[in-house]
Amino acid sequence: MKSSGWNYRRPYALRMQDPVLDVITTLKRLQYITITHMDLDFDAIRLLGEMADLTVCRRITHWDDFREEHLAQLEANSGRWFQNLREVDIVTSTWDNVQRLLRSISGSLRCLSATVTRSGMMTRHDNQALVQDVCCNSYRNFFQVLVNHPSVLFLTTLQLFSQSADFTWEPGTDVSGVFKTLYALKNLVTLEMQFRCISELDDDWLAGAAPSWTHLQVLKLMQGDARPTMTLKGLLPLVRHCHDLERLAISIIAEFFHPDCLPGGMGTRLESVTFYSSPIRSMLAVFRCLLVMFPRLIIVHGTGFDNLEETMRWLEISQLLEDSYTA
């Protein structure tokens, strides 16, 4: 049997004794595999990791925490599995699991997508300060493993999603410092992140990110309904450094800043932008700033508001931009 790809969907766990694995093991030259709605046990992950020609794996779903014997095997085989893997999609329960799986990948990834169902191994009923520390350390440890992985020079697409609500960060927690680690990923073209704590990232953080990610075409920073810290003026580094930017989704405080700060004549390829839970301080002034910052901008989406008034303001700005573009 000869095949370069395999797509399999079945709503239960995929275990070593499953007959489908017997079929997969016969596909010696398998290059890509998609397995949806299934939870892979450790031995199934190991089997995939030993397939020398596998370049795309969608998706590795592992809900349970690794047992001690599994951790020992992952450590022993660090950098030996998934030798030619270039694209992987991981769904698991903690960021610790993601970093452990990442360590087992010896190939230089181009695309990494990870979805985590909870940020730490504790529940809302546990000590709040301890939970916050677990979350912060989980992110920090994962980011450190990522930027020290062979993929650091090759990764072009990074998608990180937290499906559970992160806990409130204590005042003084250096969230920006944790996320600054990602500056090392110099060749990013697409970056999508969904964490509630993204609301703690400010203009200074973005000012450091933009010159680090000059190849960016897609930037999506999603934080739910948390109040943003970044401002409209804080987007200026994207204008100055990310000239290929085509899609932007972000949360900001949309307020006017002095025209002297506008770079004028620069801008990006951006034609559409989505602002999540982004309050507007002065509609016409914000329209003027957007017009100069992003000369090709036509459509603005405002979403995530509890009241219709804020949504309508963004709709009016979008209409003004469209009218000015077609005039």
Side-chain angles (χ1 to χ4, degrees):
M1 186 173 183
K2 183 179 180 180
S3 177
S4 61
W6 180 275
N7 294 278
Y8 191 72
R9 179 170 179 166
R10 196 169 175 182
Y12 64 80
L14 182 60
R15 307 302 183 189
M16 274 301 291
Q17 63 269 27
D18 196 298
V20 71
L21 283 176
D22 293 333
V23 176
I24 293 176
T25 55
T26 67
L27 308 177
K28 301 300 184 182
R29 305 302 297 272
L30 191 70
Q31 294 179 356
Y32 69 85
I33 186 168
T34 301
I35 305 175
T36 58
H37 291 231
M38 300 190 67
D39 176 17
L40 277 65
D41 71 358
F42 178 81
D43 290 325
I45 293 173
R46 177 182 55 78
L47 183 148
L48 294 176
E50 292 173 347
M51 304 186 93
D53 292 328
L54 192 64
T55 58
V56 177
C57 188
R58 306 189 187 100
R59 59 174 68 186
I60 295 179
T61 304
H62 182 79
W63 295 109
D64 299 326
D65 296 317
F66 289 107
R67 298 197 298 271
E68 288 299 322
E69 60 268 29
H70 295 161
L71 294 176
Q73 289 187 53
L74 280 173
E75 186 67 28
N77 290 281
S78 178
R80 297 182 182 179
W81 293 348
F82 301 103
Q83 293 181 4
N84 291 299
L85 198 64
R86 296 295 178 264
E87 180 178 336
V88 65
D89 179 7
I90 299 170
V91 180
T92 186
S93 54
T94 69
W95 290 105
D96 289 338
N97 282 350
V98 177
Q99 66 150 308
R100 287 161 182 158
L101 286 168
L102 182 61
R103 282 180 172 175
S104 72
I105 298 173
S106 59
S108 299
L109 294 173
R110 272 52 170 181
C111 302
L112 170 62
S113 177
T115 301
V116 168
T117 56
R118 67 181 193 267
S119 297
M121 298 175 62
M122 301 184 181
T123 70
R124 292 181 180 274
H125 302 291
D126 292 303
N127 180 274
Q128 183 76 2
L130 186 57
V131 169
Q132 290 162 351
D133 185 58
V134 168
C135 294
C136 190
N137 284 333
S138 294
Y139 296 152
R140 182 183 292 108
N141 293 341
F142 167 62
F143 291 162
Q144 285 294 338
V145 170
L146 178 59
V147 300
N148 286 289
H149 192 268
S151 304
V152 66
L153 298 177
F154 304 95
L155 197 68
T156 59
T157 298
L158 180 62
Q159 299 169 311
L160 306 175
F161 307 108
S162 176
Q163 291 185 342
S164 62
D166 294 336
F167 297 88
T168 303
W169 298 82
E170 286 289 336
T173 301
D174 187 17
V175 179
S176 290
V178 173
F179 281 80
K180 282 179 180 178
T181 309
L182 298 178
Y183 290 176
L185 303 174
K186 301 296 185 181
N187 291 307
L188 284 180
V189 174
T190 297
L191 175 62
E192 300 182 34
M193 296 194 296
Q194 178 181 328
F195 303 102
R196 186 174 178 83
C197 63
I198 283 178
S199 63
E200 299 292 328
L201 302 182
D202 56 15
D203 292 351
D204 288 338
W205 178 84
L206 194 57
S212 299
W213 304 329
T214 56
H215 303 292
L216 267 186
Q217 295 179 15
V218 178
L219 177 62
K220 296 183 179 181
L221 302 176
M222 296 160 280
Q223 61 189 49
D225 58 356
R227 181 173 177 81
T229 303
M230 293 183 195
T231 67
L232 181 60
K233 182 180 179 180
L235 302 184
L236 280 177
L238 296 178
V239 179
R240 295 190 177 106
H241 299 284
C242 304
H243 299 158
D244 295 327
L245 191 64
E246 297 177 352
R247 284 183 284 169
L248 176 65
I250 200 167
S251 296
I252 63 168
I253 299 173
E255 57 186 1
F256 173 75
F257 58 93
H258 199 277
D260 289 346
C261 297
L262 296 173
M266 297 180 67
T268 67
R269 299 178 182 178
L270 198 68
E271 295 183 356
S272 175
V273 63
T274 298
F275 290 117
Y276 298 107
S277 304
S278 301
I280 301 177
R281 298 286 171 82
S282 174
M283 191 179 70
L284 290 178
V286 168
F287 157 69
R288 181 189 175 194
C289 291
L290 288 173
L291 189 64
V292 179
M293 292 171 71
F294 306 111
R296 300 186 183 183
L297 189 61
I298 304 174
I299 301 173
V300 174
H301 300 283
T303 185
F305 299 106
D306 293 329
N307 61 79
L308 184 60
E309 183 180 354
E310 291 284 358
T311 302
M312 293 304 298
R313 287 182 179 179
W314 283 115
L315 282 173
E316 289 184 49
I317 288 179
S318 186
Q319 186 61 56
L320 289 171
L321 287 168
E322 185 176 356
D323 291 344
S324 66
Y325 190 81
T326 57

